[in-house]
Amino acid sequence: MEPEIVRFPAVGRLELDQLLEQLIERAQDVLGTQGRLRGLLAATRAISSDLDLPVLLRRITQAACDLLGARYGALGVIGTDGRLSEFITVGVDDDVAAGIGPLPRGAGLLGQLIRHPEPLRVADLGAHPSAAGLPPGHPPMRTFLGAPVRVRDRVFGNLYLTEKSAAGQPAEFSAEDEELLVALASAAGVAIDNARLFDVAERRQRWLRASADIVRDLLAEDTPALSLVARRALLAAEADLAAVLVADPRSPEGQDRVQVVAADGEGADALLGTTWPRSRFTDGPTPAPGFGPDGPAMLVHIPEDGSQRPGLVWLARARAGRRYDEEDRAMAADFAGHVSLAMELGRAQQNRRTIALLDERDRIARDLHDHVIQQLFASGLRLSALAARCGDAETAQALRGLITSGDETIRTIRATIFQLRRSAPEEDIAVELRDLTEEFGDLLGFTPSLLVSGPQTSTVSGELADHVRAALRESLSNCARHARATSVVVRLEVSGGQLTLTVTDDGVGLGGSSRRSGLANLEERARDLGGSFQVDSPAHAGAGRGTRVRWRVPLSPVPTGA
């Protein structure tokens, strides 16, 4: 018996084929969705594996492009002014980026997402009402998908994707793409928050270490304080240039000018010892033209402490460097407070040493007066008695010579006692110049020799002392920048109502006119005080070798034109 063949109607077979096709499509959709979910998990793992914030931001942008099949991607970081402060791109090579010009700040469709932080999907960029057009040289872009990246309750920035492709063909972003980007942006916010916390912790550790080092070093004896402040701040801020600034004592009333008294980093040698308008040292993302790195900068105020110590530290980065944020400023302010405190403690420590030294000097003076002089006087009386009784005229004359020599010795000892008992050493300009020569030891590679002579050094104080310190600083700065010297001798002579500061080096000599122009400040300073300025080569040096700078002013300066 033959088997019975069941025949389905044609309509039934068609419905079954359609059901099978739908089942296959659903299965493919499920597989595709699973693949995209796996891609989202992989992207989440990728962006969670690094705590370096700049690396993380680029990794997030690349992961978004890979996940959604976008040719171009960007992550715009929103600054405190509500505009884009950073713009990380993927898919645009360096040559194309250079041709486009400056990075966007948040106009057009990018600004639309900043003003309204909600996911935005556009089929045609040019047709959107907020579109501002693409700049010349920009790659063509049509499809667009954007989503905000939130860190806790604040919008950190926005993810932008353009030019989606599927199976090698241009395509539009779908609602599912939007959901995936929102999910990735959420994971990115958590990763960015962790990276920022880690970054802040590292920065705080650097500043705390710098504060501890500066307190230790400033309390040590014979330490060049200003150079240390510049060096520690440079390292803690990860800056390219650090400069310590003080008010220029020669600045006319109403003109706010500062002098660079210490510097470290890129261009430090050329900047050291120069004076500039205060406005040239900016505090923000806009660089000051004319010197140093041309990127973000930060100006740190050192709290007033009643001394003549520096009041500003300027930190600058290269153009591509990260901008300083409020956390940087807070940490730098704490560092400046520690610097001020360390300087105050250092002065207190120096005062204690000075008091101990004065007590010791007073003891020595008492011993000289009460014992040595009395013994010499008694010896002189005995010699006088011997001379009177001596019958030999030649011997008597020799004894009287010894008496005269003893009297001269007594006068010398009394002068020494007077010197020991005069005002505290820290008020003497010689001590301040000694500290200044030691400060330049790091820059020169050796400590200049200092010779001080004259009975009137204790009278050099106040504004005149400021000018002397500034003149020596400028002279030593010129030596450090130009001379290539192996020794420098500084002489200060104060006598006859005149103060003469002479700085002699064994370097390459005056050479061309460029170095002479660097001494213009010294000449102007001397002329303003009614003094004179001279620069030449030492007589003992060979032709064209060495430089001698002689700066002479009256002890009671009379400004020119008075």
Side-chain angles (χ1 to χ4, degrees):
M1 183 177 183
E2 295 183 359
E4 182 180 357
I5 299 176
V6 181
R7 300 182 182 275
F8 293 97
V11 175
R13 287 199 304 270
L14 180 59
E15 291 178 352
L16 182 59
D17 290 343
Q18 291 176 345
L19 288 173
L20 288 174
E21 289 177 0
Q22 291 175 5
L23 182 60
I24 292 171
E25 288 178 359
R26 293 290 180 87
Q28 289 175 343
D29 289 342
V30 170
L31 291 175
T33 301
Q34 288 179 343
R36 304 193 81 182
L37 288 176
R38 284 195 296 269
L40 177 61
L41 291 174
T44 303
R45 287 196 301 269
I47 65 177
S48 302
S49 61
D50 205 304
L51 289 175
D52 187 308
L53 189 57
V55 174
L56 175 62
L57 297 181
R58 180 164 295 279
R59 185 169 290 181
I60 290 170
T61 311
Q62 185 65 62
C65 289
D66 296 341
L67 178 63
L68 300 178
R71 181 177 180 183
Y72 303 110
L75 197 160
V77 180
I78 302 175
T80 55
D81 57 356
R83 305 179 69 184
L84 294 179
S85 60
E86 294 182 63
F87 199 71
I88 297 93
T89 61
V90 168
V92 180
D93 59 37
D94 294 340
D95 293 337
V96 174
I100 295 174
L103 296 176
R105 296 300 305 278
L109 203 59
L110 303 184
Q112 170 74 14
L113 202 57
I114 294 174
R115 294 186 295 272
H116 305 284
E118 299 293 338
L120 179 62
R121 180 160 45 98
V122 178
D124 187 354
L125 278 171
H128 195 276
S130 299
L134 300 175
H138 198 287
M141 294 180 179
R142 183 172 176 273
T143 55
F144 174 87
L145 178 61
V149 177
R150 299 179 185 273
V151 175
R152 300 187 183 182
D153 296 329
R154 188 176 68 86
V155 177
F156 174 81
N158 295 304
L159 271 171
Y160 308 105
L161 301 178
T162 63
E163 292 300 285
K164 177 180 173 62
S165 63
Q169 297 298 321
E172 295 183 6
F173 291 103
S174 64
E176 184 182 350
D177 292 332
E178 182 178 317
E179 292 177 358
L180 285 172
L181 185 60
V182 170
L184 181 62
S186 178
V190 175
I192 289 172
D193 191 29
N194 291 336
R196 291 185 67 188
L197 291 174
F198 179 76
D199 179 60
V200 169
E202 279 203 322
R203 279 186 280 161
R204 183 173 288 111
Q205 184 179 14
R206 285 198 306 271
W207 281 110
L208 289 175
R209 185 164 53 245
S211 296
D213 290 344
I214 203 72
V215 170
R216 181 198 64 220
D217 294 338
L218 290 182
L219 290 180
E221 296 186 31
D222 302 326
T223 301
L226 304 185
S227 298
L228 277 175
V229 171
R231 182 61 180 168
R232 299 300 183 194
L234 178 84
L235 296 176
E238 291 187 321
D240 294 296
L241 174 64
V244 182
L245 316 174
V246 296
D248 182 11
R250 298 182 303 113
S251 178
E253 186 175 355
Q255 292 187 16
D256 193 5
R257 297 182 65 85
V258 292
Q259 184 180 32
V260 181
V261 294
D264 201 323
E266 177 187 336
D269 292 344
L271 196 60
L272 186 63
T274 59
T275 58
W276 300 84
R278 165 68 174 75
S279 58
R280 297 292 290 274
F281 294 91
T282 58
D283 184 16
T286 304
F291 58 84
D294 58 353
M298 176 171 61
L299 200 59
V300 185
H301 293 258
I302 296 180
E304 295 289 340
D305 56 3
S307 70
Q308 296 181 358
R309 295 293 182 177
L312 295 170
V313 178
W314 186 67
L315 300 163
R317 287 173 174 160
R319 181 178 293 273
R322 180 182 61 83
R323 295 186 181 188
Y324 293 103
D325 56 24
E326 292 305 316
E327 289 161 342
D328 289 314
R329 299 180 192 283
M331 296 173 196
D334 290 342
F335 170 79
H338 292 145
V339 168
S340 179
L341 177 61
M343 289 180 171
E344 185 66 30
L345 291 175
R347 281 188 294 276
Q349 183 172 284
Q350 178 63 37
N351 289 339
R352 288 194 296 272
R353 289 195 294 264
T354 298
I355 291 172
L357 177 61
L358 290 176
D359 288 343
E360 181 65 13
R361 285 185 173 188
D362 192 57
R363 183 192 64 77
I364 294 172
R366 287 197 306 270
D367 289 346
L368 288 173
H369 182 272
D370 296 342
H371 301 290
V372 178
I373 288 182
Q374 299 304 322
Q375 291 174 2
L376 287 173
F377 187 71
S379 298
L381 290 177
R382 288 195 293 271
L383 288 174
S384 295
L386 287 175
R389 293 197 302 269
C390 182
D392 183 21
E394 184 176 351
T395 301
Q397 182 64 28
L399 290 173
R400 284 191 289 272
L402 290 174
I403 294 170
T404 301
S405 178
D407 291 340
E408 182 63 30
T409 300
I410 290 173
R411 284 193 294 271
T412 300
I413 292 175
R414 282 175 173 166
T416 301
I417 293 173
F418 175 77
Q419 291 291 329
L420 288 172
R421 285 179 167 172
R422 69 178 185 170
S423 59
E426 69 270 20
E427 297 177 357
D428 198 316
I429 188 64
V431 177
E432 300 182 42
L433 297 189
R434 182 203 65 193
D435 293 341
L436 193 53
T437 56
E438 292 175 350
E439 180 182 316
F440 272 83
D442 290 342
L443 293 174
L444 292 167
F446 57 87
T447 301
S449 301
L450 175 65
L451 305 175
V452 179
S453 62
Q456 296 176 284
T457 56
S458 60
T459 65
V460 182
S461 60
E463 185 177 356
L464 179 59
D466 291 340
H467 285 291
V468 174
R469 286 191 296 270
L472 179 57
R473 187 181 297 280
E474 290 181 5
S475 298
L476 293 178
S477 296
N478 283 327
C479 290
R481 290 199 301 266
H482 306 294
R484 300 200 295 275
T486 59
S487 70
V488 177
V489 178
V490 178
R491 289 184 174 86
L492 178 69
E493 301 174 71
V494 188
S495 61
Q498 292 282 328
L499 181 149
T500 304
L501 178 67
T502 306
V503 180
T504 307
D505 67 64
D506 64 348
V508 297
L510 292 174
S513 60
S514 60
R515 184 180 177 189
R516 186 181 298 271
S517 64
L519 303 173
N521 285 339
L522 285 168
E523 184 174 6
E524 181 181 353
R525 194 184 294 274
R527 186 172 61 248
D528 291 346
L529 296 175
S532 62
F533 170 77
Q534 180 184 359
V535 56
D536 54 20
S537 295
H540 63 274
R545 297 292 300 177
T547 302
R548 179 175 56 197
V549 172
R550 182 175 286 111
W551 190 83
R552 178 175 293 150
V553 296
L555 287 180
S556 299
V558 179
T560 56

